[in-house]
Amino acid sequence: MKIKIKKLRTGAILPNYQTKHSAGMDLHACVEKPITIKPSETYAVPTGISVAIPEGYEMQIRGRSGLALKFGIGPANGVGTIDADFRGEVCAILVNNGKDDYVINPGDRIAQAIITKYEKAEWNEVDKLNETVRGSSGFGSTGK
């Protein structure tokens, strides 16, 4: 799939796959100087790119497992979505859940992007839903 992408500033790095079978493309910080995210702080890290995602697709912004495990750094909103009609700068909204300050340098890999297809839902309001074995049980009702 070909997707139009625009560099907004000098120093922007295009998203790239690190291995042949990577599902996610690394996103890089496009900052002029290092930024520090203190514990419990949230920061929108710019990538210096904007994209034109095709209709029927989204670009999901996800965390990098190494940053989460080693430093407690991850997306503040779980998974971010870049919609097909958004043309602004792609940013990774990161939160520092760790115990120490975390420094992001220009060009650092800060998140990953996955392009995924989605379906539009059309609600069909009814008076009754079909029964299932599980029913309304939830919140750990199936075990650990």
Side-chain angles (χ1 to χ4, degrees):
M1 164 183 293
K2 292 187 181 220
I3 298 176
K4 293 178 181 176
I5 188 166
K6 179 181 177 182
K7 287 184 178 182
L8 301 174
R9 289 189 297 285
T10 303
I13 300 170
L14 297 183
N16 55 336
Y17 295 102
Q18 292 297 312
T19 69
K20 179 180 178 182
H21 298 288
S22 294
M25 298 169 270
D26 283 334
L27 293 173
H28 301 263
C30 186
V31 293
E32 292 181 18
K33 59 185 181 184
I35 57 171
T36 300
I37 305 176
K38 295 187 176 303
S40 299
E41 282 188 344
T42 302
Y43 193 91
V45 183
T47 64
I49 60 168
S50 62
V51 293
I53 302 299
E55 187 177 337
Y57 291 84
E58 66 168 324
M59 183 166 87
Q60 294 182 355
I61 309 300
R62 300 184 184 187
R64 297 189 65 235
S65 57
L67 290 180
L69 179 64
K70 296 174 187 173
F71 307 105
I73 302 296
N77 54 342
V79 175
T81 294
I82 305 300
D83 294 307
D85 58 352
F86 179 70
R87 294 297 181 270
E89 182 170 15
V90 173
C91 292
I93 304 169
L94 301 180
V95 64
N96 183 348
N97 291 311
K99 297 175 186 167
D100 301 312
D101 290 358
Y102 185 76
V103 177
I104 297 173
N105 294 295
D108 279 358
R109 295 183 294 161
I110 54 166
Q112 56 183 328
I114 294 179
I115 307 300
T116 185
K117 189 171 181 56
Y118 66 86
E119 297 289 330
K120 282 287 209 176
E122 186 177 317
W123 298 109
N124 181 19
E125 188 174 0
V126 296
D127 293 326
K128 186 175 180 180
L129 299 175
N130 62 309
E131 297 293 325
T132 67
V133 173
R134 181 176 181 180
S136 60
S137 297
F139 302 106
S141 65
T142 61
K144 284 188 174 180

